[in-house]
């Protein structure tokens, strides 16, 4: 069953044609990785799934993207509700200037949850889910900036997971982190698969190979190849993919 | 060669930094010495004494009591703790009406004796006369003069710096005038300033922002006298009509003018602070399903709160120190205001208005310096409050 379906997506920043005729289906509760050199459009494509690109003036989209069968660019779509259901983790850890607890509780609070006991429970679950609970349980009231970069990024994952989204978008979530923190985050992604649909953009092919079920290779705004991760990394159909994964360019 | 340039540069920077600091410290020191001089002045004007009949047991009089005596607001000695005796006020000029020129002598050489005569004759007299005339005179008791007490200045509710025989330097009306005007100015400027800065930073399209920002910055460069003129021509009559006031010049007029003047500062600084909030932080909030408004007040404002506060403090600083515009629209009545719609007077306006008429080195002059010191402390206090608040903001990066 497909969670996300994109059909003939073209996307423009002003006159720049950033994404060209992309069609791709993302199956439910699997991890899909987008790989490709910088500027190939993979992040742009990812940000279409929660309409983050709406914030950038002068952009234009044609084609159709649907989640659970609903066109997310349709007129009756409530963007705030969409974003609540499609969580996102960014390239750099970006905790809010609040306490650790309030960072995780934020999503619940802005979505109108008032029940304190429930919030506390969800915060604990989310922090445990992000393998951060043991490290922060005694300092939940402290500033999120007191945490290390890797901890901050796991906090951001906990923050995104606290509202229980059915899709989690990750835009190079480990690119600013050291190898140990990266390993922890990859472990988290593996934990999530089977429960949540995860779409991850990454520069690291090893990472894509380790965490994903399916991989899409982007190049110059086009999706060159999309398939089972194993196949992409062992026996790709396209020569460009072969060249990229073997490190001949990119 | 390189070494020499390096050495000279270091020397130049050290010397200029050092001189500047020393000069600033000297200025502050000068301010403080001049201000402290006020408390070495006697209550009664220098060179004069208050002479009483020896039978009058009154030991001392405060500046305020002296003023009331000479204004004939106090007509009986029992009001100042003396016997039940009507007060007779006597000034040097009164001599000419009581005695002929011959009696006083061509060079006033008999004036002392005549004053003594008057003092001896009426037990309820209080005579304000030069001390040289009565020092030696028999049967005259000169009221021992005290220096101006600190308490009467800091807690005094009346400001009559030119009253004779004893000027009154109660700074309370001026301090409260300053605080009232500034407080209401901030009360008006804060909501508008925040609203405009939020609009410019978060909501306005790029085109509007590009047009508005320079215009607002331009407003900050308009001389204050122009704002004062505008206040006098527009706001004062408007207030007079709206509230049915006898005079439109009031604290509120000052507050409104100051609020308009503080707005550009508050807007530019707060807007810059909000623009500095990283885009990813906004996106993180929106990505969690927060609305734009929730993002603004739960993420952007907390993130930029330090910048917003400093904008507000700069605004307050401008309001407290502002002179000309306030001088023009507040009506300049040095009385304790009981409502913001009454005329009042601020510290800077007082200094500007009175320094010209105060003789250099005199008590009045020193009192104005004291006002400067008070202003200095008020600003210092506000700045330290902000330091304290922003140091306590533990969620700062």
């Amino acid at each position: 069953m497909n969670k996300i379906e994109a059909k003939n997506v073209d996307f423009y920043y002003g006159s720049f044609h950033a994404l060209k005729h992309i069609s791709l289906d993302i199956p439910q509760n699997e991890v899909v990785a987008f790989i490709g050199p910088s500027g190939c459009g993979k992040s742009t494509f990812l940000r279409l799934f929660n309409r983050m690109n709406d914030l950038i003036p002068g952009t234009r989209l044609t084609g159709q993207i649907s989640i659970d069968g609903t066109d997310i660019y349709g007129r009756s779509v409530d963007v705030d509700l969409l974003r609540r259901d499609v969580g996102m983790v960014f390239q750099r850890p970006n905790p809010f200037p609040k306490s650790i607890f309030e960072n995780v509780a934020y999503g619940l609070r802005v979505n109108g949850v008032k029940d304190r006991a429930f919030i506390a429970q969800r915060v604990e679950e989310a922090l445990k889910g992000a393998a951060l609970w043991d490290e922060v349980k005694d300092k939940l009231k402290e500033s999120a900036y007191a945490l290390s970069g890797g901890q901050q990024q796991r906090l951001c994952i906990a923050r995104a997971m606290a509202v229980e989204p059915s899709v989690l978008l990750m835009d190079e979530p480990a690119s600013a982190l050291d190898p140990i923190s990266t390993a922890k985050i990859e472990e988290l992604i593996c934990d999530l698969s089977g429960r949540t649909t995860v779409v991850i953009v990454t520069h690291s092919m090893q990472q894509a190979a380790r965490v994903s079920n399916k991989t899409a290779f982007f190049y110059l705004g086009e999706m060159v190849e999309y398939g089972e991760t194993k196949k992409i990394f062992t026996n790709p159909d396209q020569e460009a993919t072969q060249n990229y994964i073997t490190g001949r360019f990119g | 060669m390189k070494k020499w340039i390096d050495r000279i540069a270091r020397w130049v920077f050290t010397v200029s930094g050092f001189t500047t600091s020393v000069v600033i410290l000297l200025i502050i020191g000068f301010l403080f010495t001049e201000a402290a001089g006020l408390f070495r002045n006697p209550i009664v004007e220098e060179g004069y004494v208050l002479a009483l009949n020896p039978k009058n047991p009154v030991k001392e009089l405060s500046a305020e009591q002296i003023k009331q005596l000479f204004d004939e607001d106090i007509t009986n000695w029992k009001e100042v703790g003396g016997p039940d005796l009507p007060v007779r006020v006597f000034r040097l000029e009164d001599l000419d009406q009581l005695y002929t020129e011959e009696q006083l002598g061509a060079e006033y050489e008999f004036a002392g004796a005549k004053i003594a005569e008057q003092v001896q004759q009426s037990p309820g007299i209080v005579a304000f006369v030069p001390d040289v005339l009565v020092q030696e005179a028999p049967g005259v008791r000169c009221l021992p003069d005290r220096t101006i007490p600190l308490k009467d200045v800091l807690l005094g509710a009346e400001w009559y710096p030119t009253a004779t025989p004893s000027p009154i330097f109660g700074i309370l009306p001026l301090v409260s005038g300053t605080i009232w005007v500034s407080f209401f100015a901030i009360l008006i400027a804060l909501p508008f300033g925040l609203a405009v800065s939020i609009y410019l930073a978060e909501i306005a399209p790029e085109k509007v922002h590009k047009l508005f920002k320079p215009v607002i910055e331009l407003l900050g460069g308009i001389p204050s006298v122009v704002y004062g003129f505008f206040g006098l021509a527009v706001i004062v009559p408007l207030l007079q009509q709206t509230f049915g006031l006898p005079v439109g010049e009031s604290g509120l007029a000052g507050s409104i003018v100051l609020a308009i003047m503080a707005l550009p500062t508050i807007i530019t600084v707060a807007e810059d602070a909000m623009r500095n909030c990283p885009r990813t932080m906004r996106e993180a909030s929106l990505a969690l399903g927060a609305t734009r408004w929730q993002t603004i007040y739960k993420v952007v404002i907390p993130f930029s709160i330090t910048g917003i506060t400093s904008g507000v403090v700069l605004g307050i600083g401008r309001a407290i120190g502002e002179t000309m515009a306030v001088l023009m629209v507040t009506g300049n009545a040095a009385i304790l205001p009981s409502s913001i719609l009454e005329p009042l007077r601020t510290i800077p306006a007082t200094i500007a208005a009175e320094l010209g008429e105060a003789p250099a080195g005199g008590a009045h002059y020193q009192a104005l310096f004291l006002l400067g010191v008070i202003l200095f402390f008020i600003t210092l206090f506000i700045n330290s409050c902000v330091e304290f608040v922003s140091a306590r903001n533990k969620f700062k990066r």
Side-chain angles (χ1 to χ4, degrees):
Chain A
M1 195 186 132
N2 290 331
K3 180 73 182 174
I4 307 174
E5 292 179 359
K7 282 195 197 97
N8 297 324
V9 171
D10 280 82
F11 187 76
Y12 305 83
Y13 290 110
S15 60
F16 176 66
H17 197 173
L19 294 174
K20 296 166 189 164
H21 292 300
I22 293 175
S23 297
L24 144 159
D25 296 336
I26 291 169
Q28 180 142 25
N29 295 346
E30 288 195 24
V31 180
V32 173
F34 292 173
I35 59 169
S38 297
C40 66
K42 55 193 190 307
S43 283
T44 305
F45 191 50
L46 184 81
R47 290 163 60 91
L48 287 176
F49 298 154
N50 65 347
R51 294 186 60 169
M52 242 345 145
N53 288 334
D54 291 11
L55 304 173
I56 302 165
T59 58
R60 192 160 59 84
L61 173 86
T62 62
Q64 200 191 36
I65 297 173
S66 34
I67 293 179
D68 293 330
T70 321
D71 178 5
I72 59 167
Y73 284 84
R75 282 208 181 171
S76 57
V77 170
D78 180 334
V79 183
D80 299 328
L81 278 181
L82 167 77
R83 288 179 182 151
R84 186 195 186 290
D85 191 46
V86 183
M88 188 161 193
V89 176
F90 297 80
Q91 184 171 358
R92 290 184 171 277
N94 54 356
F96 299 131
K98 296 177 187 293
S99 69
I100 293 169
F101 183 90
E102 282 305 317
N103 259 282
V104 183
Y106 183 86
L108 298 165
R109 293 202 198 276
V110 296
N111 285 296
V113 179
K114 295 266 191 290
D115 183 351
R116 286 180 170 206
F118 177 74
I119 291 178
Q121 184 203 336
R122 281 300 308 145
V123 168
E124 183 175 339
E125 282 168 17
L127 285 169
K128 279 179 176 160
L132 192 60
W133 176 252
D134 290 335
E135 292 159 60
V136 300
K137 65 182 174 205
D138 299 324
K139 46 180 184 178
L140 291 173
K141 293 241 150 57
E142 280 176 35
S143 167
Y145 295 131
L147 299 175
S148 73
Q151 287 175 324
Q152 287 188 12
Q153 191 64 309
R154 277 181 283 147
L155 180 70
C156 292
I157 295 175
R159 182 175 68 186
M161 293 311 294
V163 290
E164 302 183 289
S166 64
V167 179
L168 186 64
L169 309 175
M170 301 179 111
D171 191 355
E172 300 180 33
S175 67
L177 304 180
D178 65 281
I180 293 169
S181 305
T182 305
K184 281 191 180 159
I185 291 197
E186 286 178 8
E187 226 170 274
L188 278 176
I189 297 168
C190 294
D191 279 356
L192 287 174
S193 71
R195 289 188 286 137
T196 311
T197 310
V198 179
V199 187
I200 176 170
V201 166
T202 177
H203 269 295
S204 154
M205 280 168 281
Q206 291 87 337
Q207 187 171 69
R210 280 193 296 264
V211 300
S212 66
N213 309 107
K214 296 183 93 173
T215 299
F217 172 57
F218 288 76
Y219 184 58
L220 296 177
E222 289 182 66
M223 192 180 73
V224 179
E225 192 169 352
Y226 177 48
E228 294 297 321
T229 301
K230 261 185 200 152
K231 184 172 185 303
I232 295 275
F233 281 100
T234 52
N235 184 23
D237 292 333
Q238 304 290 327
E239 208 190 328
T241 316
Q242 178 76 41
N243 288 344
Y244 183 71
I245 60 170
T246 51
R248 243 166 267 167
F249 78 96
Chain B
M1 187 63 194
K2 238 177 162 179
K3 254 187 193 165
W4 275 105
I5 292 178
D6 189 73
R7 231 176 250 182
I8 292 169
R10 214 162 2 141
W11 186 80
V12 167
F13 285 122
T14 314
V15 167
S16 56
F18 191 71
T19 5
T20 316
S21 316
V22 166
V23 166
I24 290 173
L25 284 179
L26 280 178
I27 291 173
I28 295 176
F30 172 71
L31 196 65
F32 274 74
T33 6
E34 286 291 328
L38 175 67
F39 301 105
R40 283 194 291 275
N41 279 294
I43 290 182
V44 176
E45 226 171 284
E46 196 106 54
Y48 285 80
V49 285
L50 291 182
L52 300 179
N53 187 290
K55 284 182 206 129
N56 191 338
V58 172
K59 287 262 164 17
E60 57 176 26
L61 292 166
S62 72
E64 204 169 322
Q65 285 168 334
I66 295 171
K67 181 176 177 293
Q68 283 170 345
L69 280 172
F70 278 81
D71 285 352
E72 288 168 19
D73 288 336
I74 292 178
T75 51
N76 196 304
W77 282 104
K78 69 179 176 195
E79 287 173 64
V80 291
D84 187 1
L85 204 64
V87 173
R88 182 184 162 211
V89 173
F90 183 88
R91 293 187 180 84
L92 194 59
E93 306 92 88
D94 297 339
L95 271 181
D96 299 325
Q97 278 151 29
L98 293 167
Y99 300 99
T100 61
E101 262 179 58
E102 287 117 64
Q103 281 172 311
L104 290 172
E107 280 169 351
Y108 258 52
E109 57 265 40
F110 308 124
K114 299 294 177 203
I115 292 170
E117 200 178 294
Q118 286 296 322
V119 172
Q120 281 156 17
Q121 273 172 16
S122 49
I125 199 167
V126 52
F128 171 58
V129 287
D131 50 4
V132 285
L133 292 183
V134 290
Q135 256 161 9
E136 310 285 298
V140 174
R141 188 165 69 89
C142 293
L143 204 64
D145 210 351
R146 296 172 301 150
T147 51
I148 297 173
L150 185 68
K151 195 180 112 236
D152 287 8
V153 172
L154 294 185
L155 303 173
E158 282 179 315
W159 175 262
Y160 292 109
T162 50
T164 44
S166 66
I168 302 177
F169 300 112
I171 59 167
L172 226 46
L174 311 176
V175 173
S176 57
T178 304
I179 291 171
W180 277 63
V181 169
S182 312
F183 176 74
F184 277 88
I186 284 305
L187 215 59
I188 299 166
L190 201 59
F192 286 103
L194 277 186
V196 176
S197 51
I198 288 173
Y199 171 75
L200 281 182
E202 300 291 324
I203 299 161
E206 200 51 32
K207 272 183 194 164
V208 178
H209 179 260
K210 270 192 181 139
L211 182 78
F212 260 50
K213 194 83 191 288
V215 171
I216 286 170
E217 276 164 3
L218 193 74
L219 286 180
I222 294 178
S224 60
V225 67
V226 177
Y227 281 108
F229 190 46
F230 167 76
L232 206 54
V234 178
I235 294 170
V236 167
L238 198 71
L239 285 180
Q240 194 169 1
Q241 277 172 15
T242 333
F243 294 102
L245 301 173
V247 281
E249 279 106 338
S250 59
L252 188 60
S255 302
I256 293 173
V257 171
L258 282 184
I260 297 171
M261 293 180 65
L263 272 177
T265 320
I266 296 179
I267 292 170
T268 18
V269 179
E271 199 252 25
D272 283 344
M274 280 189 239
R275 288 221 156 215
N276 276 335
C277 180
R279 204 187 70 183
T280 61
M281 203 168 289
R282 271 170 244 257
E283 287 184 342
S285 169
L286 293 169
L288 286 164
T291 60
R292 209 167 178 184
W293 169 238
Q294 284 173 326
T295 303
I296 291 172
Y297 86 94
K298 287 192 165 203
V299 175
V300 178
I301 292 181
F303 181 86
S304 42
I305 191 71
T306 331
I308 295 173
T309 350
S310 57
V312 172
V313 172
L314 285 175
I316 297 177
R318 180 150 198 208
I320 287 181
E322 175 48 42
T323 311
M324 204 56 221
V326 178
L327 188 66
M328 289 167 81
V329 298
T330 52
N332 290 321
I335 43 166
L336 266 177
S338 58
S339 124
I340 193 69
L341 293 170
E342 279 174 22
L344 47 74
R345 187 185 232 189
T346 64
I347 293 176
T350 306
I351 297 178
E354 293 180 5
L355 198 56
E357 65 194 44
H364 188 189
Y365 177 84
Q366 288 165 333
L368 295 180
F369 271 100
L370 181 78
L371 287 180
V373 170
I374 302 281
L375 199 59
F376 175 79
F377 277 118
I378 293 177
T379 337
L380 199 68
F381 173 73
I382 288 168
N383 285 353
S384 357
C385 279
V386 171
E387 287 286 315
F388 181 71
V389 169
S390 52
R392 270 187 44 141
N393 182 3
K394 57 178 178 170
F395 300 127
K396 179 170 83 157
R397 244 178 217 269

